[in-house]
C-alpha cells in the first residue's frame, strides 16, 4: 500500500473513533463543545477567542486586559494553547477551532503511534491497537471534556520517530552522534509545535529524550538482573533516596507536586468517565478522602485498563523464566531503551509510593519536585500519557515473540481482535455533555446589550493552578466570549502575588469579597467617593449575582451600594442583574 493511502486510511480510522466517542458532538461540530459542568473546558474556547481578538486588533495575544481589568496580565505562563488560536484564525469560530484541534490531535496521535509501533510490531491489528491506546486511553478520554490542552499529543509519536532517526547513541556516552540533520530539524519543529500546545506534553518529550540518553550514558543495558548484587544496590539506592527526600520535605523547601502523586490503587481504578467498568467499589475508593488527597479528582486517573498491564506482566514473567525469546524491539539497539523509559514515566506518576493513602517509600524521581522550574509540573499522574504510548509497543512486540511458533496466523489474529475488544470495553466512555452559546444564562446575554466596559459578578475571586482567593467560575470566561465585557478578576495558570492582593487593594471589590467570604463579619464599606472612583475606573456595564449568592450578604451589600445610585435590580431566571440608570 502506498504511504499516502495508508496514512489517509489511518487518519480516517482514528478520526472515526473520535466521532463515535464524542457523539452527538459530530452533529453540532461548529456550534457546541464537550464540557463537563464546572470544568475548565470553556476556558479553551476563551483562549481561542482572545487570541483571535488580539491578533485581529493588532494587540499582543500573550497579554490581556479582558481579565484583571483594567491593569491586565501576561498570558505567557497560562495554559493558552496558541496552536488552537491559529486554528481559530483559520476558521473564525472558537468552538470549531477547539473541536477541530481535538479531532486532528486524536487522529494524528493514533496514526503516529501506529507508525512508531510498526517499527517493531509486525501485526497490523496490534499496531492499530497501540495507536488506539495512545489516542484514546482513559486518561485522554476523561479529559476530552475538561483539559483540552492535555489532549494535544499529536507531536509525541512523530517526535520519537524523528528522534530515533536523528541520533545514534553509543554505550557509555550521553551525547549521541547525529545521523540525520533533517531529522534533528524535525525534532526541533515538533518541539516548537508542542510548545504552542501544552507544556506538560513538551516536558514529556524532554523527559523522554533524557531518559533515553540515560540508558546509554549509564550503561543500563549491562545490568545483570539475576545477580544479587544488583538488587542490593537497588535497595540501597531506594533507602538513601527515601531518606534524602524525607529530609528535603522536612526542611521546608518548597515543592508543589508530591501531594498530587498517584496511589498504587489508582492503577486499578477506572475513571468516572468509563461506561462499562466504573463499578461501585471504584467510585467509593475514588471519592475516599483517606485514600486520595483530592478525592474524586480527575488528577487521580492513571488507569490504563486491566488487559494491557496483565499482558505485560505475564510476558515479563515468561521472559524472566526463559519461556519466550527476545522481542524484535529488544533485538533492535534503538528500541531496547523503550522499556526503561516506560518504567521511568511510571515512576514519575508516583514520586512517593502510596498504598491506599499511606505513603510507604519516597522514590528517587521525587527529587525533580524540588527543582524550581520542574516543580511547576505539579500533577505527576499526567505522565501516564507517555506510558500510554510505550506500554503497548513494549508489550505487543514481546507478545509476537511469545506466540512465534506457538500460534498459527489465524490464532494470532483471533487473539489480537479479542484483545482489541477487551480494551474497547475497558476504555469506552460515557456520553459527554455539550456546551454551546445557547447555554449562556440570559442575564449575561442581556449584559452584552448594555453600554460599559466591564462586568462585576458575585461570586468574585482570583484563581490560579495553586491558589485561590474568593471564588471564580471558569464558566465566566466562556460567558465572556458572548457578552464581551471585561472582568476585574480572573482565572489563569499563574497569577502574581500583586494581582491576588489587588482585590483587597480596591475598596469596593474588597467590601464585596469580604461579604462573600466572611458573611458574619462587619466591615466598613467604601465611602461615596471611593464608590464614584470605582465606577469611573471600571465603567461597569452591570453587576450579576449567581443563584447561590442571591439574598446572601454579598448580594445585600450590592443593594446598599448600587440602589442609592439609581441602579435597577432585575431577576433574570435564577440570577440577579443590576443595571445602571439610563443617562
Amino acid at each position: 500500500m502506498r504511504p499516502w493511502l495508508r496514512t489517509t486510511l489511518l487518519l480516517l480510522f482514528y478520526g472515526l473513533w473520535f466521532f463515535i466517542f464524542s457523539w452527538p458532538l459530530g452533529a453540532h461540530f461548529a456550534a457546541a463543545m464537550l464540557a463537563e459542568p464546572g470544568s475548565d473546558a470553556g476556558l479553551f474556547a476563551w483562549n481561542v477567542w482572545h487570541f483571535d481578538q488580539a491578533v485581529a486588533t493588532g494587540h499582543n495575544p500573550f497579554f490581556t486586559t479582558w481579565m484583571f481589568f483594567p491593569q491586565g496580565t501576561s498570558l505567557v505562563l497560562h495554559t493558552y494553547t496558541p496552536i488552537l488560536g491559529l486554528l481559530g484564525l483559520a476558521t473564525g469560530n472558537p468552538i470549531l477551532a477547539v473541536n477541530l484541534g481535538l479531532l486532528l490531535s486524536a487522529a494524528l496521535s493514533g496514526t503516529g503511534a501506529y507508525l512508531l509501533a510498526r517499527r517493531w510490531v509486525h501485526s497490523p491489528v496490534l499496531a492499530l491497537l497501540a495507536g488506539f491506546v495512545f489516542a484514546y486511553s482513559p486518561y485522554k478520554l476523561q479529559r476530552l471534556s475538561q483539559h483540552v490542552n492535555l489532549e494535544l499529543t499529536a507531536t509525541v509519536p512523530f517526535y520519537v520517530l524523528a528522534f530515533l532517526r536523528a541520533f545514534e547513541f553509543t554505550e557509555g556516552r550521553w551525547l549521541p552522534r547525529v545521523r540525520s540533520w533533517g531529522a534533528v530539524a524535525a525534532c526541533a519543529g515538533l518541539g516548537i509545535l508542542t510548545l504552542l500546545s501544552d507544556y506538560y506534553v513538551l516536558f514529556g518529550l524532554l523527559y523522554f529524550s533524557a531518559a533515553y540518553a540515560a540508558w546509554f550514558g549509564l550503561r543500563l543495558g549491562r545490568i545483570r538482573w539475576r545477580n544479587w548484587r544488583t538488587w542490593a544496590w537497588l535497595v540501597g539506592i531506594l533507602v538513601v533516596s527515601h531518606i534524602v527526600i524525607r529530609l528535603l520535605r522536612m526542611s521546608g523547601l518548597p515543592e508543589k507536586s508530591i501531594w498530587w502523586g498517584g496511589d498504587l490503587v489508582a492503577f486499578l481504578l477506572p475513571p468516572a468517565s468509563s461506561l462499562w467498568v466504573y463499578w461501585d467499589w471504584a467510585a467509593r475508593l475514588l471519592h475516599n478522602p483517606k485514600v486520595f488527597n483530592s478525592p474524586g479528582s480527575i488528577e487521580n486517573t492513571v488507569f490504563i485498563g486491566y488487559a494491557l498491564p496483565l499482558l505485560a506482566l505475564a510476558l515479563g514473567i515468561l521472559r524472566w523464566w526463559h519461556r519466550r525469546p527476545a522481542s524484535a524491539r529488544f533485538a533492535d539497539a534503538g528500541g531496547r531503551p523503550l522499556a526503561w523509559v516506560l518504567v521511568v514515566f511510571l515512576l514519575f506518576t508516583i514520586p512517593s509510593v502510596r498504598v491506599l493513602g499511606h505513603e510507604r517509600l519516597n522514590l528517587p524521581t521525587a527529587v525533580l519536585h524540588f527543582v524550581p522550574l520542574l516543580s511547576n509540573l505539579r500533577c505527576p499522574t499526567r505522565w501516564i500519557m507517555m506510558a500510554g504510548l510505550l506500554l503497548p509497543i513494549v508489550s505487543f512486540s514481546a507478545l509476537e515473540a511469545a506466540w512465534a511458533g506457538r500460534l498459527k496466523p489465524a490464532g494470532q489474529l483471533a487473539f489480537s481482535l479479542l484483545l482489541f475488544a477487551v480494551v474497547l470495553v475497558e476504555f469506552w466512555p460515557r456520553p459527554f455533555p455539550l456546551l454551546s452559546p445557547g447555554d449562556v444564562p440570559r442575564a449575561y446575554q442581556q449584559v452584552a446589550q448594555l453600554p460599559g466596559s466591564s462586568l462585576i459578578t458575585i461570586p468574585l475571586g482570583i484563581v490560579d493552578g495553586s491558589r485561590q482567593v474568593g471564588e471564580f467560575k471558569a464558566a465566566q470566561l466562556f460567558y465572556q466570549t458572548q457578552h464581551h465585557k471585561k472582568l476585574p478578576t480572573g482565572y489563569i495558570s499563574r497569577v502574581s502575588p500583586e494581582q491576588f492582593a489587588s482585590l483587597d487593594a480596591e475598596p469596593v471589590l474588597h467590601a464585596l469579597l469580604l461579604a462573600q467570604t466572611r458573611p458574619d463579619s462587619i466591615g466598613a464599606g467604601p465611602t461615596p467617593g471611593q464608590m464614584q472612583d470605582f465606577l469611573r475606573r471600571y465603567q461597569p456595564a452591570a453587576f450579576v449575582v449567581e443563584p447561590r449568592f442571591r439574598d446572601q450578604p454579598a448580594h445585600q451589600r450590592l443593594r446598599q451600594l448600587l440602589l442609592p445610585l439609581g441602579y435597577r435590580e432585575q431577576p433574570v431566571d435564577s440570577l440577579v442583574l443590576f443595571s445602571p440608570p439610563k443617562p
Side-chain angles (χ1 to χ4, degrees), residues 422-555:
V422 171
V423 170
L424 268 178
V425 171
E426 293 178 335
F427 286 14
W428 201 285
R430 299 174 185 270
F432 295 103
L434 300 182
L435 174 67
S436 72
D439 297 318
V440 175
R442 280 199 313 124
Y444 294 101
Q445 297 174 18
Q446 293 184 21
V447 168
Q449 309 303 320
L450 298 175
S453 299
S454 68
L455 170 67
I456 316 299
T457 63
I458 301 295
L460 58 82
I462 296 175
V463 180
D464 73 359
S466 57
R467 186 182 174 191
Q468 176 172 336
V469 171
E471 182 179 335
F472 186 92
K473 292 173 56 179
Q476 289 292 341
L477 297 178
F478 184 77
Y479 300 164
Q480 189 182 59
T481 67
Q482 304 302 310
H483 62 63
H484 296 184
K485 304 300 180 185
K486 298 187 176 184
L487 302 173
T489 55
Y491 172 32
I492 59 175
S493 300
R494 296 293 179 268
V495 176
S496 69
E498 294 76 19
Q499 286 169 328
F500 273 113
S502 66
L503 282 179
D504 286 329
E506 208 298 312
V508 175
L509 296 179
H510 171 72
L512 294 174
L513 180 66
L514 189 65
Q516 172 188 313
T517 57
R518 297 168 58 190
D520 296 333
S521 64
I522 301 177
T527 65
Q530 290 172 332
M531 189 67 194
Q532 292 300 325
D533 288 341
F534 174 84
L535 295 177
R536 279 192 298 269
R537 185 182 186 199
Y538 288 89
Q539 300 177 20
F543 296 75
V544 172
V545 180
E546 291 282 332
R548 189 160 53 90
F549 291 86
R550 285 188 66 167
D551 298 320
Q552 298 301 308
H555 182 187

Side-chain angles (χ1 to χ4, degrees), residues 225-255:
W225 292 104
R226 298 178 186 278
N227 190 316
W228 68 270
R229 291 184 180 85
T230 299
W231 293 97
W233 272 101
L234 180 60
V235 170
I237 291 171
L238 291 175
V239 169
V240 170
S241 67
H242 174 77
I243 295 172
V244 169
I245 298 302
R246 184 175 177 82
L247 290 175
L248 287 173
R249 297 177 76 174
M250 292 173 61
S251 72
L253 279 176
E255 66 85 13

Side-chain angles (χ1 to χ4, degrees), residues 333-400:
R336 194 171 299 170
L338 294 188
W340 149 255
V341 179
L342 168 62
V343 170
V344 169
F345 278 109
L346 290 174
L347 294 179
F348 280 169
T349 66
I350 45 170
S352 178
V353 176
R354 189 179 297 140
V355 182
L356 291 174
H358 301 285
E359 290 189 359
R360 301 300 185 189
L361 181 68
N362 295 312
L363 295 177
T365 53
V367 74
L368 295 175
H369 301 291
F370 294 92
V371 179
L373 175 64
L374 302 182
S375 65
N376 285 319
L377 303 168
R378 64 182 182 87
C379 296
T381 52
R382 294 179 179 180
W383 299 122
I384 200 67
M385 174 265 297
M386 293 298 294
L389 174 65
L390 299 172
L391 178 62
I393 294 173
V394 172
S395 300
F396 296 161
S397 182
L399 175 61
E400 290 187 329

